[in-house]
Amino acid sequence: MADSEEKKKRKRPERPEYEEDNGFAQFGGYMEAKISKLEQQFAESAKTSGIQKSNLFSGVSIFVNGHTNPSAEALKVIMMEHGGVFHQYERSHTTFIIASNLPDVKVRKMMPSKTIIRPEWVVDCVKEKKILDHKKYLYDFNHKVSQPKLLAFTGGAGKDTGFSEVRTAVNPNFLSEFYNNSRLHHISTLGLTLKDYVNELREKHSGDFPGREDLKDLKRDDSGASTKFIMHIDMDCFFVSVGLRSRAHLRGLPVAVTHSKGGRNPVSTTGQITEELLAWGDREVADENLKNILGTNPSKSLSLSEIASCSYEARAKGIKNGMFMGTALKLCPDLQTIPYDFDQYREVSYILYNSISKYTLDIEAVSCDEMFVDLTNLLRSTGVRCEDFVSHIRSEIRNATNCPCSVGIGGNRLLARLATRKAKPDGQYFFPADNVLKLMEDIHLKDLPGVGYSTFDKLKEKGLTTCGHLQKIPLVQLQKDFPGKSGENLYNLCRGEDNRPLNFTRQRKSVSTEVNYGIRFTRKTELETFLKQLCEETSKRLREVGLRGKSVTLKLMIRAQDAPVETAKFMGHGICDHITKSASLPGFTDDPEAIFRAVWRISEELSVDPAELRGIGVQVTKLSKQETPKSSSLVNLFNQMKSKPTVSLPEKKPMDAVEVKQPEDFEVDPEVLKALPPELREEIVKDYANWTKANKKSPLKTSPEASKPQSTARNSNISANNILSKKNWMKILTQWVNSSDSPKSCDVEHLSCNAVEFIRSRNICDLYSQLEYLRLIVDQKDSCFWHTSYKSLIQGIQVEMLNIYEIQLKITDLSCKRCK
DNA sequence: ATCCTCCCCTAC
DNA sequence: TAAGGTAGGGGAGGAT
């Protein structure tokens, strides 16, 4: 970030009339203009109103981010009273960012190199009547204050709100609140996102792998071996490693990622937990939890929050993923906990995948922090030795993410995976090609992929715990207990044989939405309302991936007969019976109502008691790709909107290439604005109107065309199909950017030509606004295809600017860290 | 035989 | 307090 800032400064020609503060910063666009205007107003009103009490904050400017106490408004007044500056928008010369209550991701994303302090600094300075050392007020990223919660969730509305309605699925905000906090949801959806990402990269790939250039210096492999090389990469305790990037002081300590801060669970009873744990998940972890809880004073209950990820130092004390926080604290009382940071996980995941995709796209994405890569082609065409490439890529990942990863290599996916186990933590290991059968003998059966705790228990009952044991069992005998393919797989895997190919692309077979937490209904209408939400969510997800389904399945978890009504785990599902039932949909559909009708019918048939329900899911299957008749091409959009009577455009004229046109006045499209995120909307709407009004009266003085009246400046030829010259450019750009995950190159080119026309006709102010707007909406896009296209567009524009004005536009960088 | 539905299991 | 999701493989057993 600081790097690109540097570059920009260096590139800008050093002409005094365009110095940052007296000119060029305000050269283009309403964005800059409105910001300066606000600040000026601020300073002036402080002086003229006579409220200024001191010059305490002279030379100090603050920008308040998020909710603070005192409020932004109050801080503004304080700054005003004491000669400081309050920035409505964060600016490059802002002295401090004030924040007390923000997710650190957001803070760091927005101001990577800024000093962020707590609002108390302002208050205390006034109290002490001097500028205090701000270092004592630095925003503490480690002590994360919880976000202000909705009243309904804190129970703050009053004790009589009825317990069950406060934080159960009855609350209309439950679903989003739950999904925001569910680690399993995030792990799952992030994994899907990255699988799609690999698909996308493969589809769009040009055939060039830029990373291979870097391998030139590595040793050649002259052995000429034609073996298959499967690489398995896995980040080490992913969530913890990501969390430690900003918490260097916790490195080397036992650390765990969890919701809990180690508090006590006030409701559970020992007996109940025992019962539930016997029917639950990872047996080893369950046993450990159980042992711990049985030895606990029943009056002192434990945190049942699960540990999502723990450091190797924590593992050394016996702590495991999935373990209750209470249990973990018993094993290690000084266990450090850090909160989830799902945005950061996503960011690091992309860096991981981008690192690999520079070299090859023979990738099977497994999850957000794990993948298989077939190195065979890469090694053959570069001639690089496998171990050299692995060392190279591991250090590259480490440098790019600041997180360790481990790599296993083998002749097939099984051996690669087993090798990774040996490699961990932070290492690499090659499963030898000879003697595989012998080497497999010591592998624990639980380590075979596909052997979970149920299969393992079955095997253990027969006295089988290692692959060596299993190798002695003939296939037919094995298939008595594990019929068909199940037995066959075991038979092959325990011998180190695995012929399952890597799947580089993947087509989805189902889309589902389920919640098995916080389900506590008393009335049927509550169930109905929630089920509708689930169907809407399912429909949304179908549409996101452009699929429709022909069949829907309702999945229910119902409290088991003898299970207690209140679960040991807060709002958990306890011991349940599982029911699923499917129905046909009217043709391929993604319509939420159609899905709901089908699912509601099933629910009626099953006639479940809403009060007994502990979990609900909606799954759509038999999928088919949705037709996309609408083209998202920019030019098409432009033409479509042109013919629509709702858009106020001048009479359509024949597309005369030589027609002389003037850009129409800009207008802010309310429809467009409605669709924008609130922060962005506010930013745009606030002063746009004022600015344009003010501007009509007096054109910008700092423009290179200042000597000419605005109308003259616009007097050059602008072709009729120049999108930027249209009144509804904002709408066109918005729809274009929203219409797809990657722009068509012809559209980018078209826009580039349009921009160049503007530059040539000396219409820089409008162009600047439009580029600023484009940046804002592209920045919101979670697609590096858009980001890079935007950047190449800007690059072309800057070239033209240099040609004509010998100067560049001041363009803010995109915030995306994945693409650089 | 083959397909469909309803389960169970597994992985992250 | 706590945030127990999501997709796929595969078997049993019935319908075709």
Side-chain angles (χ1 to χ4, degrees), chain A residues 253-281:
Chain A
L253 299 178
V255 178
V257 174
T258 166
H259 281 299
S260 155
K261 288 172 193 81
R264 302 292 181 197
N265 174 346
V267 284
S268 312
T269 68
T270 307
Q272 223 180 301
I273 295 169
T274 310
E275 215 183 317
E276 278 190 30
L277 286 182
L278 287 171
W280 174 75

PDB file of all heavy atoms in Angstrom, chain A residues 253-281:
ATOM      1  N   LEU A 253       2.830 -19.238  21.834  1.00  0.00           N
ATOM      2  CA  LEU A 253       1.984 -19.554  22.988  1.00  0.00           C
ATOM      3  C   LEU A 253       0.859 -20.493  22.559  1.00  0.00           C
ATOM      4  O   LEU A 253       0.537 -20.585  21.380  1.00  0.00           O
ATOM      5  CB  LEU A 253       1.370 -18.260  23.547  1.00  0.00           C
ATOM      6  CG  LEU A 253       2.331 -17.193  24.052  1.00  0.00           C
ATOM      7  CD1 LEU A 253       1.549 -15.976  24.519  1.00  0.00           C
ATOM      8  CD2 LEU A 253       3.191 -17.752  25.166  1.00  0.00           C
ATOM      9  N   PRO A 254       0.254 -21.178  23.519  1.00  0.00           N
ATOM     10  CA  PRO A 254      -0.942 -21.968  23.176  1.00  0.00           C
ATOM     11  C   PRO A 254      -2.102 -21.030  22.856  1.00  0.00           C
ATOM     12  O   PRO A 254      -2.501 -20.223  23.693  1.00  0.00           O
ATOM     13  CB  PRO A 254      -1.215 -22.781  24.448  1.00  0.00           C
ATOM     14  CG  PRO A 254      -0.498 -22.072  25.538  1.00  0.00           C
ATOM     15  CD  PRO A 254       0.646 -21.335  24.917  1.00  0.00           C
ATOM     16  N   VAL A 255      -2.594 -21.098  21.636  1.00  0.00           N
ATOM     17  CA  VAL A 255      -3.619 -20.173  21.158  1.00  0.00           C
ATOM     18  C   VAL A 255      -4.773 -20.965  20.560  1.00  0.00           C
ATOM     19  O   VAL A 255      -4.554 -21.993  19.914  1.00  0.00           O
ATOM     20  CB  VAL A 255      -3.046 -19.235  20.067  1.00  0.00           C
ATOM     21  CG1 VAL A 255      -4.129 -18.308  19.527  1.00  0.00           C
ATOM     22  CG2 VAL A 255      -1.880 -18.418  20.606  1.00  0.00           C
ATOM     23  N   ALA A 256      -5.988 -20.484  20.774  1.00  0.00           N
ATOM     24  CA  ALA A 256      -7.151 -21.130  20.172  1.00  0.00           C
ATOM     25  C   ALA A 256      -8.105 -20.089  19.613  1.00  0.00           C
ATOM     26  O   ALA A 256      -8.252 -19.003  20.175  1.00  0.00           O
ATOM     27  CB  ALA A 256      -7.877 -21.987  21.200  1.00  0.00           C
ATOM     28  N   VAL A 257      -8.744 -20.424  18.505  1.00  0.00           N
ATOM     29  CA  VAL A 257      -9.785 -19.564  17.941  1.00  0.00           C
ATOM     30  C   VAL A 257     -11.142 -20.089  18.403  1.00  0.00           C
ATOM     31  O   VAL A 257     -11.455 -21.266  18.198  1.00  0.00           O
ATOM     32  CB  VAL A 257      -9.731 -19.559  16.403  1.00  0.00           C
ATOM     33  CG1 VAL A 257     -10.911 -18.781  15.828  1.00  0.00           C
ATOM     34  CG2 VAL A 257      -8.422 -18.972  15.920  1.00  0.00           C
ATOM     35  N   THR A 258     -11.894 -19.239  19.045  1.00  0.00           N
ATOM     36  CA  THR A 258     -13.193 -19.642  19.587  1.00  0.00           C
ATOM     37  C   THR A 258     -14.071 -18.419  19.818  1.00  0.00           C
ATOM     38  O   THR A 258     -13.588 -17.296  19.887  1.00  0.00           O
ATOM     39  CB  THR A 258     -13.000 -20.397  20.922  1.00  0.00           C
ATOM     40  OG1 THR A 258     -14.239 -20.494  21.603  1.00  0.00           O
ATOM     41  CG2 THR A 258     -12.025 -19.673  21.835  1.00  0.00           C
ATOM     42  N   HIS A 259     -15.363 -18.667  19.922  1.00  0.00           N
ATOM     43  CA  HIS A 259     -16.287 -17.569  20.256  1.00  0.00           C
ATOM     44  C   HIS A 259     -16.142 -17.182  21.711  1.00  0.00           C
ATOM     45  O   HIS A 259     -16.308 -16.038  22.084  1.00  0.00           O
ATOM     46  CB  HIS A 259     -17.737 -18.008  20.026  1.00  0.00           C
ATOM     47  CG  HIS A 259     -18.151 -17.971  18.602  1.00  0.00           C
ATOM     48  ND1 HIS A 259     -18.163 -16.820  17.866  1.00  0.00           N
ATOM     49  CD2 HIS A 259     -18.566 -18.945  17.766  1.00  0.00           C
ATOM     50  CE1 HIS A 259     -18.568 -17.085  16.635  1.00  0.00           C
ATOM     51  NE2 HIS A 259     -18.823 -18.373  16.555  1.00  0.00           N
ATOM     52  N   SER A 260     -15.882 -18.181  22.515  1.00  0.00           N
ATOM     53  CA  SER A 260     -15.885 -17.970  23.959  1.00  0.00           C
ATOM     54  C   SER A 260     -14.653 -17.200  24.409  1.00  0.00           C
ATOM     55  O   SER A 260     -13.598 -17.285  23.807  1.00  0.00           O
ATOM     56  CB  SER A 260     -15.898 -19.320  24.647  1.00  0.00           C
ATOM     57  OG  SER A 260     -15.340 -19.226  25.938  1.00  0.00           O
ATOM     58  N   LYS A 261     -14.800 -16.481  25.499  1.00  0.00           N
ATOM     59  CA  LYS A 261     -13.638 -15.854  26.093  1.00  0.00           C
ATOM     60  C   LYS A 261     -13.266 -16.595  27.372  1.00  0.00           C
ATOM     61  O   LYS A 261     -12.620 -16.071  28.251  1.00  0.00           O
ATOM     62  CB  LYS A 261     -13.926 -14.379  26.376  1.00  0.00           C
ATOM     63  CG  LYS A 261     -13.974 -13.604  25.084  1.00  0.00           C
ATOM     64  CD  LYS A 261     -14.453 -12.179  25.300  1.00  0.00           C
ATOM     65  CE  LYS A 261     -14.783 -11.550  23.957  1.00  0.00           C
ATOM     66  NZ  LYS A 261     -16.114 -11.958  23.496  1.00  0.00           N
ATOM     67  N   GLY A 262     -13.713 -17.832  27.424  1.00  0.00           N
ATOM     68  CA  GLY A 262     -13.338 -18.669  28.553  1.00  0.00           C
ATOM     69  C   GLY A 262     -14.317 -18.583  29.712  1.00  0.00           C
ATOM     70  O   GLY A 262     -14.036 -19.039  30.793  1.00  0.00           O
ATOM     71  N   GLY A 263     -15.466 -17.995  29.451  1.00  0.00           N
ATOM     72  CA  GLY A 263     -16.476 -17.834  30.491  1.00  0.00           C
ATOM     73  C   GLY A 263     -17.130 -19.151  30.861  1.00  0.00           C
ATOM     74  O   GLY A 263     -16.849 -20.189  30.283  1.00  0.00           O
ATOM     75  N   ARG A 264     -17.992 -19.091  31.801  1.00  0.00           N
ATOM     76  CA  ARG A 264     -18.664 -20.291  32.282  1.00  0.00           C
ATOM     77  C   ARG A 264     -20.042 -20.413  31.670  1.00  0.00           C
ATOM     78  O   ARG A 264     -20.693 -19.431  31.375  1.00  0.00           O
ATOM     79  CB  ARG A 264     -18.784 -20.245  33.811  1.00  0.00           C
ATOM     80  CG  ARG A 264     -17.445 -20.115  34.517  1.00  0.00           C
ATOM     81  CD  ARG A 264     -16.657 -21.369  34.328  1.00  0.00           C
ATOM     82  NE  ARG A 264     -15.374 -21.282  35.029  1.00  0.00           N
ATOM     83  CZ  ARG A 264     -14.360 -22.090  34.779  1.00  0.00           C
ATOM     84  NH1 ARG A 264     -14.469 -23.020  33.865  1.00  0.00           N
ATOM     85  NH2 ARG A 264     -13.246 -21.985  35.435  1.00  0.00           N
ATOM     86  N   ASN A 265     -20.461 -21.620  31.503  1.00  0.00           N
ATOM     87  CA  ASN A 265     -21.800 -21.866  31.016  1.00  0.00           C
ATOM     88  C   ASN A 265     -22.728 -22.054  32.200  1.00  0.00           C
ATOM     89  O   ASN A 265     -22.567 -22.987  32.962  1.00  0.00           O
ATOM     90  CB  ASN A 265     -21.764 -23.129  30.149  1.00  0.00           C
ATOM     91  CG  ASN A 265     -23.152 -23.539  29.707  1.00  0.00           C
ATOM     92  OD1 ASN A 265     -24.143 -23.053  30.228  1.00  0.00           O
ATOM     93  ND2 ASN A 265     -23.219 -24.424  28.749  1.00  0.00           N
ATOM     94  N   PRO A 266     -23.684 -21.173  32.378  1.00  0.00           N
ATOM     95  CA  PRO A 266     -24.479 -21.194  33.602  1.00  0.00           C
ATOM     96  C   PRO A 266     -25.612 -22.221  33.622  1.00  0.00           C
ATOM     97  O   PRO A 266     -26.181 -22.449  34.653  1.00  0.00           O
ATOM     98  CB  PRO A 266     -25.055 -19.781  33.659  1.00  0.00           C
ATOM     99  CG  PRO A 266     -25.154 -19.371  32.225  1.00  0.00           C
ATOM    100  CD  PRO A 266     -24.056 -20.094  31.502  1.00  0.00           C
ATOM    101  N   VAL A 267     -25.944 -22.810  32.503  1.00  0.00           N
ATOM    102  CA  VAL A 267     -27.169 -23.615  32.511  1.00  0.00           C
ATOM    103  C   VAL A 267     -26.972 -25.129  32.494  1.00  0.00           C
ATOM    104  O   VAL A 267     -27.804 -25.867  33.003  1.00  0.00           O
ATOM    105  CB  VAL A 267     -28.115 -23.236  31.352  1.00  0.00           C
ATOM    106  CG1 VAL A 267     -28.813 -21.939  31.646  1.00  0.00           C
ATOM    107  CG2 VAL A 267     -27.372 -23.171  30.030  1.00  0.00           C
ATOM    108  N   SER A 268     -25.910 -25.603  31.889  1.00  0.00           N
ATOM    109  CA  SER A 268     -25.804 -27.043  31.676  1.00  0.00           C
ATOM    110  C   SER A 268     -25.631 -27.821  32.979  1.00  0.00           C
ATOM    111  O   SER A 268     -25.088 -27.328  33.945  1.00  0.00           O
ATOM    112  CB  SER A 268     -24.609 -27.342  30.793  1.00  0.00           C
ATOM    113  OG  SER A 268     -24.627 -26.511  29.700  1.00  0.00           O
ATOM    114  N   THR A 269     -26.073 -29.035  32.928  1.00  0.00           N
ATOM    115  CA  THR A 269     -25.818 -29.932  34.050  1.00  0.00           C
ATOM    116  C   THR A 269     -24.934 -31.069  33.569  1.00  0.00           C
ATOM    117  O   THR A 269     -25.004 -31.483  32.425  1.00  0.00           O
ATOM    118  CB  THR A 269     -27.119 -30.520  34.609  1.00  0.00           C
ATOM    119  OG1 THR A 269     -27.658 -31.397  33.620  1.00  0.00           O
ATOM    120  CG2 THR A 269     -28.127 -29.460  34.943  1.00  0.00           C
ATOM    121  N   THR A 270     -24.105 -31.547  34.444  1.00  0.00           N
ATOM    122  CA  THR A 270     -23.108 -32.532  34.079  1.00  0.00           C
ATOM    123  C   THR A 270     -23.704 -33.760  33.410  1.00  0.00           C
ATOM    124  O   THR A 270     -23.247 -34.212  32.377  1.00  0.00           O
ATOM    125  CB  THR A 270     -22.329 -32.963  35.325  1.00  0.00           C
ATOM    126  OG1 THR A 270     -21.842 -31.793  35.941  1.00  0.00           O
ATOM    127  CG2 THR A 270     -21.178 -33.859  34.958  1.00  0.00           C
ATOM    128  N   GLY A 271     -24.761 -34.284  34.019  1.00  0.00           N
ATOM    129  CA  GLY A 271     -25.363 -35.512  33.488  1.00  0.00           C
ATOM    130  C   GLY A 271     -25.803 -35.351  32.058  1.00  0.00           C
ATOM    131  O   GLY A 271     -25.590 -36.231  31.214  1.00  0.00           O
ATOM    132  N   GLN A 272     -26.386 -34.218  31.790  1.00  0.00           N
ATOM    133  CA  GLN A 272     -26.910 -33.975  30.454  1.00  0.00           C
ATOM    134  C   GLN A 272     -25.804 -33.905  29.418  1.00  0.00           C
ATOM    135  O   GLN A 272     -25.910 -34.454  28.334  1.00  0.00           O
ATOM    136  CB  GLN A 272     -27.628 -32.645  30.471  1.00  0.00           C
ATOM    137  CG  GLN A 272     -28.929 -32.677  29.749  1.00  0.00           C
ATOM    138  CD  GLN A 272     -29.569 -31.325  29.827  1.00  0.00           C
ATOM    139  OE1 GLN A 272     -29.820 -30.830  30.910  1.00  0.00           O
ATOM    140  NE2 GLN A 272     -29.812 -30.736  28.691  1.00  0.00           N
ATOM    141  N   ILE A 273     -24.728 -33.214  29.767  1.00  0.00           N
ATOM    142  CA  ILE A 273     -23.624 -33.084  28.828  1.00  0.00           C
ATOM    143  C   ILE A 273     -23.082 -34.459  28.511  1.00  0.00           C
ATOM    144  O   ILE A 273     -22.845 -34.804  27.360  1.00  0.00           O
ATOM    145  CB  ILE A 273     -22.514 -32.189  29.421  1.00  0.00           C
ATOM    146  CG1 ILE A 273     -23.047 -30.774  29.596  1.00  0.00           C
ATOM    147  CG2 ILE A 273     -21.297 -32.182  28.526  1.00  0.00           C
ATOM    148  CD1 ILE A 273     -22.134 -29.888  30.399  1.00  0.00           C
ATOM    149  N   THR A 274     -22.945 -35.279  29.545  1.00  0.00           N
ATOM    150  CA  THR A 274     -22.457 -36.638  29.366  1.00  0.00           C
ATOM    151  C   THR A 274     -23.262 -37.358  28.302  1.00  0.00           C
ATOM    152  O   THR A 274     -22.722 -37.912  27.353  1.00  0.00           O
ATOM    153  CB  THR A 274     -22.586 -37.416  30.685  1.00  0.00           C
ATOM    154  OG1 THR A 274     -22.026 -36.643  31.714  1.00  0.00           O
ATOM    155  CG2 THR A 274     -21.870 -38.732  30.583  1.00  0.00           C
ATOM    156  N   GLU A 275     -24.566 -37.284  28.459  1.00  0.00           N
ATOM    157  CA  GLU A 275     -25.463 -37.992  27.564  1.00  0.00           C
ATOM    158  C   GLU A 275     -25.315 -37.511  26.124  1.00  0.00           C
ATOM    159  O   GLU A 275     -25.221 -38.304  25.203  1.00  0.00           O
ATOM    160  CB  GLU A 275     -26.892 -37.758  28.037  1.00  0.00           C
ATOM    161  CG  GLU A 275     -27.795 -38.946  27.827  1.00  0.00           C
ATOM    162  CD  GLU A 275     -29.202 -38.594  28.266  1.00  0.00           C
ATOM    163  OE1 GLU A 275     -29.357 -37.965  29.328  1.00  0.00           O
ATOM    164  OE2 GLU A 275     -30.115 -38.928  27.519  1.00  0.00           O
ATOM    165  N   GLU A 276     -25.272 -36.196  25.978  1.00  0.00           N
ATOM    166  CA  GLU A 276     -25.187 -35.651  24.630  1.00  0.00           C
ATOM    167  C   GLU A 276     -23.861 -35.978  23.960  1.00  0.00           C
ATOM    168  O   GLU A 276     -23.804 -36.252  22.783  1.00  0.00           O
ATOM    169  CB  GLU A 276     -25.369 -34.134  24.653  1.00  0.00           C
ATOM    170  CG  GLU A 276     -26.819 -33.756  24.713  1.00  0.00           C
ATOM    171  CD  GLU A 276     -27.019 -32.284  24.506  1.00  0.00           C
ATOM    172  OE1 GLU A 276     -26.205 -31.640  23.790  1.00  0.00           O
ATOM    173  OE2 GLU A 276     -27.979 -31.772  25.065  1.00  0.00           O
ATOM    174  N   LEU A 277     -22.822 -35.944  24.761  1.00  0.00           N
ATOM    175  CA  LEU A 277     -21.505 -36.179  24.173  1.00  0.00           C
ATOM    176  C   LEU A 277     -21.342 -37.591  23.658  1.00  0.00           C
ATOM    177  O   LEU A 277     -20.617 -37.832  22.704  1.00  0.00           O
ATOM    178  CB  LEU A 277     -20.413 -35.891  25.211  1.00  0.00           C
ATOM    179  CG  LEU A 277     -20.191 -34.432  25.491  1.00  0.00           C
ATOM    180  CD1 LEU A 277     -19.077 -34.257  26.480  1.00  0.00           C
ATOM    181  CD2 LEU A 277     -19.872 -33.697  24.199  1.00  0.00           C
ATOM    182  N   LEU A 278     -22.027 -38.535  24.290  1.00  0.00           N
ATOM    183  CA  LEU A 278     -21.903 -39.921  23.860  1.00  0.00           C
ATOM    184  C   LEU A 278     -22.423 -40.090  22.432  1.00  0.00           C
ATOM    185  O   LEU A 278     -22.027 -41.009  21.732  1.00  0.00           O
ATOM    186  CB  LEU A 278     -22.658 -40.846  24.810  1.00  0.00           C
ATOM    187  CG  LEU A 278     -21.963 -41.008  26.162  1.00  0.00           C
ATOM    188  CD1 LEU A 278     -22.864 -41.759  27.133  1.00  0.00           C
ATOM    189  CD2 LEU A 278     -20.636 -41.752  25.994  1.00  0.00           C
ATOM    190  N   ALA A 279     -23.286 -39.200  22.024  1.00  0.00           N
ATOM    191  CA  ALA A 279     -23.868 -39.338  20.691  1.00  0.00           C
ATOM    192  C   ALA A 279     -23.241 -38.363  19.715  1.00  0.00           C
ATOM    193  O   ALA A 279     -23.810 -38.034  18.708  1.00  0.00           O
ATOM    194  CB  ALA A 279     -25.373 -39.086  20.775  1.00  0.00           C
ATOM    195  N   TRP A 280     -22.035 -37.911  20.029  1.00  0.00           N
ATOM    196  CA  TRP A 280     -21.553 -36.753  19.278  1.00  0.00           C
ATOM    197  C   TRP A 280     -20.166 -36.951  18.693  1.00  0.00           C
ATOM    198  O   TRP A 280     -19.310 -37.612  19.274  1.00  0.00           O
ATOM    199  CB  TRP A 280     -21.571 -35.535  20.216  1.00  0.00           C
ATOM    200  CG  TRP A 280     -20.988 -34.298  19.664  1.00  0.00           C
ATOM    201  CD1 TRP A 280     -21.553 -33.472  18.752  1.00  0.00           C
ATOM    202  CD2 TRP A 280     -19.713 -33.752  19.993  1.00  0.00           C
ATOM    203  NE1 TRP A 280     -20.708 -32.438  18.481  1.00  0.00           N
ATOM    204  CE2 TRP A 280     -19.574 -32.579  19.221  1.00  0.00           C
ATOM    205  CE3 TRP A 280     -18.674 -34.116  20.833  1.00  0.00           C
ATOM    206  CZ2 TRP A 280     -18.453 -31.773  19.282  1.00  0.00           C
ATOM    207  CZ3 TRP A 280     -17.557 -33.321  20.886  1.00  0.00           C
ATOM    208  CH2 TRP A 280     -17.452 -32.159  20.130  1.00  0.00           C
ATOM    209  N   GLY A 281     -19.981 -36.423  17.533  1.00  0.00           N
ATOM    210  CA  GLY A 281     -18.756 -36.190  16.782  1.00  0.00           C
ATOM    211  C   GLY A 281     -17.502 -36.996  17.057  1.00  0.00           C
ATOM    212  O   GLY A 281     -17.523 -38.214  17.184  1.00  0.00           O
TER     213      GLY A 281
END
